[in-house]
Amino acid sequence: MAIAELRQQLIRGEVSAREVTQDQLDRIAAVDSTLHAFLDVTAERALADAERIDKARMAGEELPPLAGVPLGIKDNLCTKGIRTTCSSKMLENFVPPYESTVTNRLWKAGAVLLGKTNLDEFAMGSSTETSAFGPTSNPWDITRVPGGSSGGSAAAVASGECIAAMGSDTGGSIRQPASFCGVVGLKPTYGRVSRWGLVAFASSLDQIGPFTSCVADAAELMNVIAGHDSNDSTSLTAPVPDYCEKLREPLAGVRIGLIKECFQQEGLNSEVKESVLAAADSLRSLGAELIEVGCPRFNDGIATYYVIAPSEASANLARYDGVKYGFRSEGAESLLSMTSRSRAEGFGSEVQRRILIGTYALSAGYVDAYYKKAQQVRTLIRRDFDSAFEQVDVLLTPTSPTTAFQTGAHLDDPLAMYLADLLTIPANLAGLPAISLPCGFDSAGLPIGLQLISNVLDESRLLQVAYQYEQTANVMANKPDGKFIP
Amino acid sequence: MTEKITAEDVQKVANLARLDLPEEQISTYSAQLEKIITYVAQLEEIDTTGVPPTTRAVEVTNVSREDQVLSSPVREELLSLAPERQEDFFRVPKILSD
């Protein structure tokens, strides 16, 4: 059920928040032993919160915008008093003493916390397989990955365990799992949503955003989570529009750019390419103008990202030293050895690998060759986008070169896994908002995702184009009877 | 071109990163890092003469505010998260060697 519909039903008293929450808890009980989308389910709190909404309604109070909307929250967003693990042994028992700004805004808006969702350890990965607490399965085919790193949130929304969920996106961690699981995933402009209380991975790239089953719900959630926060000095002060306002505006005159380099990828699956180009065609039939644009440095995004993100991660993760909180290795005889052993035992191999890459790239003698060089190429990638946006309003690409891959397919080859993020990374490097939404299915019955990218702070445009496409294409109405989890 | 990454290189970086890794892990990481660093080294071929580095995707100029003293309401909760606590201190193994 869409959020706006739920709100109307609650107001009319056709359904209670408690019933909605109980339905979701029942669904979780039925499917999550197979999917493992959730690390912790907060049933008691969820029902209490829902009952509070019902009481408020019965007392004639005006309901807040997300009243009774049950949410899954990626387990790298701090929730006060509720374990926040980042899917790492390092934080297995970490109970935050404070609430993230985003979740705080959600609870104030009446949303109900169902539980914390699984992720790749510290959000590092593209398959949710690096979670220290076991992988999540893709609801469309449980032998496949849900994508990552926000795989738990994507799978939870796709399987109907929750109405919406929150994730974080550093190089595609919202959009790629949204694509693999056939849901909508939005990464806002860098700084549009406060990162306060998001466990830091790469601070110049991280951004929080929603997973939903339809575009209008993403707009509803953005209305609540976007905006400046004095606790995050990188959060933008620009006024927040009503993101629902523009959705229904027709597309006549909107210019949509197809990034040439994206469609010439060697690894681009032909069914994905066909489906995304068909989506472009249906946007044209809605009145949009299609223009081919070039972003010559687009393909250098991965090399740039795999210097910058690990470098920032190696600095951010230096805080896990076994002293103040988190995992501590027992029996060490000195502080240095206690810290080094705690980090060796507390972090999994993908996290260690990235710390090593980052430390290498930042170490004496290499910092100019790698880190500074990557920051310069980052400028070139931004400039490509700047000139593209002089010609078009929105850019269109596939979200991922393939549909969901088999569990274990890339586990022994980290570089092959990194290449899966080819099409999503450039938007993070340039700080641009981008959305993934379903545009079809491959012959195995797996969802294909369409990515739209707009200029900085132009989320309204992005949501409008996505909404217009969604209403016309009606992709989920034609979903195949495959192996979807019943 | 392959960027050669030896086990000694990785051991050195692991020490800097405070990771006490077993030898076989070092050798696995060496091979993987070599592949990854070789891949990212393709950036060398891009002409970036005179191109300023990007540190923030969306520029925010210095943000200043009044310097205010605020008390943290969560002192006890923070201390209780410590792996080992002694009164109001975080307890750690000895810092100086004998």
Side-chain angles (χ1 to χ4, degrees), chain A residues 349-410:
Chain A
S349 59
E350 185 55 35
V351 173
Q352 292 183 352
R353 201 152 36 235
R354 297 209 197 185
I355 289 173
L356 292 170
I357 298 167
T359 309
Y360 181 84
L362 293 176
S363 61
Y366 294 107
V367 69
D368 279 0
Y370 292 109
Y371 190 62
K372 190 179 168 210
K373 185 80 183 180
Q375 288 183 312
Q376 289 176 306
V377 178
R378 187 174 182 184
T379 304
L380 296 177
I381 292 169
R382 281 178 64 191
R383 286 180 182 169
D384 277 359
F385 278 119
D386 286 346
S387 35
F389 285 122
E390 283 171 15
Q391 304 170 59
V392 301
D393 303 300
V394 170
L395 293 162
L396 179 151
T397 78
T399 306
S400 168
T402 67
T403 51
F405 46 84
Q406 293 283 339
T407 304
H410 297 322

Side-chain angles (χ1 to χ4, degrees), chain A residues 190 204 322-324 328 334-336 340-341 343-344 349 352-353 370 373 375-376 379 382-383 413 431, chain B residues 3 5 13 17-18 20-21 29 32 35 37 43 46 48 51-52 54-57 82-84 91 94:
Chain A
Y190 178 80
S204 81
V323 174
K324 299 180 296 296
R328 176 185 290 193
S334 73
L335 178 65
L336 176 65
S340 301
R341 278 166 53 179
R343 292 165 61 81
S349 59
Q352 292 183 352
R353 201 152 36 235
Y370 292 109
K373 185 80 183 180
Q375 288 183 312
Q376 289 176 306
T379 304
R382 281 178 64 191
R383 286 180 182 169
D413 189 352
Chain B
E3 304 285 316
I5 308 276
V13 172
R18 302 285 185 267
D20 181 3
L21 301 170
Y29 286 151
Q32 292 170 337
K35 231 175 132 180
I37 297 292
L43 295 176
I46 302 168
T48 52
V51 176
T54 292
T55 51
R56 295 250 159 252
E84 204 182 341
R91 193 179 163 90
K94 68 182 172 193

Side-chain angles (χ1 to χ4, degrees), chain A residues 110-134:
Chain A
V112 171
L113 172 66
L114 284 177
K116 304 297 292 285
T117 58
N118 201 8
L119 63 148
D120 281 296
E121 186 178 1
F122 281 98
M124 296 177 189
S126 309
S127 65
T128 316
E129 293 170 287
T130 74
S131 168
F133 309 120

Side-chain angles (χ1 to χ4, degrees), chain A residues 1-3 5-7 10-11 15-24 46-54 56-57 63-71 106-114 162-164 221:
Chain A
M1 190 180 356
I3 291 172
E5 172 64 19
L6 170 63
R7 184 161 52 228
L10 279 175
I11 290 170
V15 71
S16 72
R18 193 196 153 92
E19 284 166 336
V20 172
T21 294
Q22 188 60 56
D23 280 354
Q24 301 285 197
L47 290 168
D49 286 351
E51 277 165 18
R52 207 169 309 121
I53 298 282
D54 288 332
R57 188 192 66 81
L63 294 181
L66 299 177
V69 176
L71 298 180
L106 290 167
W107 314 145
K108 279 191 177 152
V112 171
L113 172 66
L114 284 177
C162 51
I163 286 186
L221 287 168

